[in-house]
């Protein structure tokens, strides 16, 4: 699927308009484990936009710190974080079906119950499902950099995204981003430094060292061996 809405609304001038999305739906072959994750795990952990605005205490059956990760890939980091912090709740969003299946299978195999999963656009989830001032953290690790200049508008980190996330974070909550693209890191920093209601947690107003709570992925380890840098940014909601 492309990165645009395939069912565009028809405006009054009769010309179809397509909505830019923050992702590209990627099909892929499912392994046996991934298929098992979807079949057995989705009824337990899956969430849909049709459920509307969530009551998070009801969804998880308790009150707890809440983290939302946008684009969890194959789910390795989210699974590791959920295992390390059973006292916290996590919501993951990913459009790559094998990744969704892999995470769900991991939850089943490890007996975890503190994760819920969406398989749709993150902006839609934030707008329609997540209550304001309900999240302690929002994580955005290694998003698509859309490195061609003509595609920069597709980058998820934009002023409107910063404001949307700010609304969903509690005061004191943190948006934590990481990228291995230097130009995207600079873009993130520029957008977030200009966004009202945030404080950059970096002492020098730029980037922070990798926090211990962010797992290192295989992809990141490979990049480090090749001499690729990784930039972490943390911005706290202060207003």
């Amino acid at each position: 699927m492309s990165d645009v809405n395939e069912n565009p609304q028809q405006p009054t001038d009769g010309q179809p308009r397509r909505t830019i999305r923050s992702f590209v739906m990627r099909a892929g072959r499912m392994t046996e484990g991934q298929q098992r994750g979807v079949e057995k795990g989705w009824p337990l952990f899956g969430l849909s936009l049709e459920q509307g605005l969530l009551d998070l205490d009801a969804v998880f059956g308790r009150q707890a710190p809440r983290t939302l990760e946008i684009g969890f890939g194959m789910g390795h980091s989210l699974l590791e974080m959920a295992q390390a912090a059973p006292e916290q709740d996590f919501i993951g969003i990913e459009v790559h079906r094998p990744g969704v299946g892999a995470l769900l299978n991991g939850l089943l195999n490890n007996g975890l119950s503190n994760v819920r999963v969406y398989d749709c656009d993150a902006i839609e989830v934030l707008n329609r499902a997540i209550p304001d001032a309900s999240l302690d953290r929002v994580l955005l690790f290694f998003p698509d950099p859309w490195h061609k200049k003509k595609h920069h508008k597709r980058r998820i980190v934009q002023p409107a995204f910063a404001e949307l996330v700010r609304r969903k974070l509690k005061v004191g909550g943190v948006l934590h981003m990481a990228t291995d693209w230097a130009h995207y890191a600079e873009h993130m920093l520029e957008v977030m430094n200009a966004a009202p209601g945030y404080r950059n947690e970096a002492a020098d107003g730029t980037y922070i060292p990798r926090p211990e709570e962010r797992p290192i992925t295989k992809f990141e380890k490979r990049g480090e061996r090749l001499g690729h840098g990784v930039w972490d940014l943390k911005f706290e909601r202060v207003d």
Side-chain angles (χ1 to χ4, degrees), residues 8-75:
Q9 294 182 340
Q10 294 288 340
T12 55
D13 61 9
Q15 295 300 313
R17 300 234 175 99
R18 293 179 181 271
T19 302
I20 295 294
R21 295 197 175 195
S22 62
F23 68 91
V24 172
M25 181 69 83
R26 298 186 305 278
R29 292 185 178 180
M30 303 277 282
T31 67
E32 186 176 329
Q34 291 163 1
Q35 191 64 43
R36 170 181 177 266
V38 170
E39 292 175 357
K40 297 185 180 298
W42 188 260
L44 297 174
F45 310 117
L47 296 173
S48 70
L49 290 175
E50 286 68 31
Q51 292 172 253
L53 193 67
L54 298 178
D55 178 340
L56 294 177
D57 289 350
V59 167
F60 288 99
R62 64 177 181 177
Q63 291 183 330
R66 305 259 155 74
T67 294
L68 182 143
E69 181 175 7
I70 297 172
F72 58 75
M74 296 304 292

Side-chain angles (χ1 to χ4, degrees), residues 33 48 55 62 65 71 84 98 104-105 107 151 153 177 186 195 232:
S48 70
D55 178 340
R62 64 177 181 177
L104 293 170
N105 194 45
L107 297 176
H151 291 154
K153 64 181 180 294
M177 300 176 289
E186 293 167 1
D232 281 85

